[in-house]
Amino acid sequence: MTLDGEASNSQQPPVKRSKLGGIDINSDEFKRILNRKSAHQDKLEEVEFEKLGVYFDTLEKKEAMEEKMVATMSSKCKAYFCKQCRTTCMYKASDICKADGHRIVQREATQRFFQCKQCTTRTVTIDKFPQAACRSCGSTNYQRVGMWKERKVTLDAEKLTLTADERPSLDSLVR
């Protein structure tokens, strides 16, 4: 508005200034500036390479530990034998035997790792073979396994898919 109260159409919007300093975006100079690298790019790549090295070293250590634990089929542990009850407990003495004042002897034992063949529930025992039935399914069919469960990685190429010949048709499902 002017002083007279009239709107002036002669005013143009303010011209936006480019932050590029007047360089044309399509010019060769602009493209050269965009493609330019830092003078310290090699040092940056060296630091990133060192970080990757540290990362992969820790992954290798974890994998080596995992392989060791999977291969470990038995390990030494402490077992507690109550002379009066004639029972053996792993890891700590029975609270009942302690409360009744029974004579408890600490022994070195070997713990072994097993897995139920039917439901794959894992169990640990200090006997040669588990005496009790599986807690999940009640089976007594066990197999020896490692301390840790082996991790199996399936690749996309290994996954099985049904072909058109193997898929049931809707007509066969309706019957």
Side-chain angles (χ1 to χ4, degrees):
M1 291 206 156
T2 61
L3 295 175
D4 301 340
E6 298 175 8
S8 67
N9 293 337
S10 64
Q11 289 182 351
Q12 295 178 354
V15 177
K16 291 184 179 178
R17 288 188 171 187
S18 173
K19 293 183 181 178
L20 299 175
I23 298 174
D24 183 25
I25 294 175
N26 298 324
S27 70
D28 290 336
E29 184 181 356
F30 182 76
K31 291 177 184 176
R32 184 181 53 81
I33 291 172
L34 279 180
N35 292 333
R36 197 169 161 192
K37 292 185 178 181
S38 171
H40 304 288
Q41 185 70 26
D42 58 335
K43 292 178 182 175
L44 177 67
E45 290 173 357
E46 185 178 314
V47 169
E48 288 177 356
F49 186 74
E50 287 177 8
K51 285 182 181 179
L52 277 177
V54 169
Y55 172 75
F56 285 121
D57 286 344
T58 56
L59 280 182
E60 285 177 4
K61 288 178 184 176
K62 284 182 183 179
E63 189 174 341
M65 177 59 95
E66 182 178 335
E67 288 175 5
K68 179 183 175 186
M69 296 305 246
V70 166
T72 302
M73 300 298 251
S74 61
S75 67
K76 297 289 184 190
C77 71
K78 293 179 183 177
Y80 298 90
F81 180 74
C82 177
K83 294 269 188 177
Q84 289 158 325
C85 299
R86 301 194 51 80
T87 57
T88 304
C89 298
M90 289 192 324
Y91 310 122
K92 68 175 193 167
S94 172
D95 294 333
I96 297 170
C97 294
K98 282 184 186 177
D100 291 345
H102 293 181
R103 191 164 155 232
I104 299 170
V105 178
Q106 179 180 338
R107 294 183 181 164
E108 193 73 21
T110 302
Q111 62 181 359
R112 294 170 181 84
F113 308 98
F114 293 90
Q115 178 176 343
C116 177
K117 286 185 179 178
Q118 289 181 348
C119 66
T120 67
T121 302
R122 299 172 63 87
T123 186
V124 178
T125 184
I126 55 175
D127 299 321
K128 296 279 184 198
F129 209 72
Q131 303 297 319
C134 176
R135 286 177 264 144
S136 299
C137 67
S139 173
T140 56
N141 196 5
Y142 288 99
Q143 70 180 16
R144 286 285 299 268
V145 291
M147 185 183 287
W148 279 9
K149 191 173 187 177
E150 187 173 1
R151 186 174 18 167
K152 295 180 182 173
V153 178
T154 57
L155 302 175
D156 291 337
E158 294 175 348
K159 292 181 182 174
L160 298 177
T161 58
L162 295 175
T163 61
D165 298 334
E166 296 172 339
R167 291 187 184 142
S169 65
L170 292 176
D171 294 334
S172 65
L173 295 176
V174 173
R175 295 181 197 170

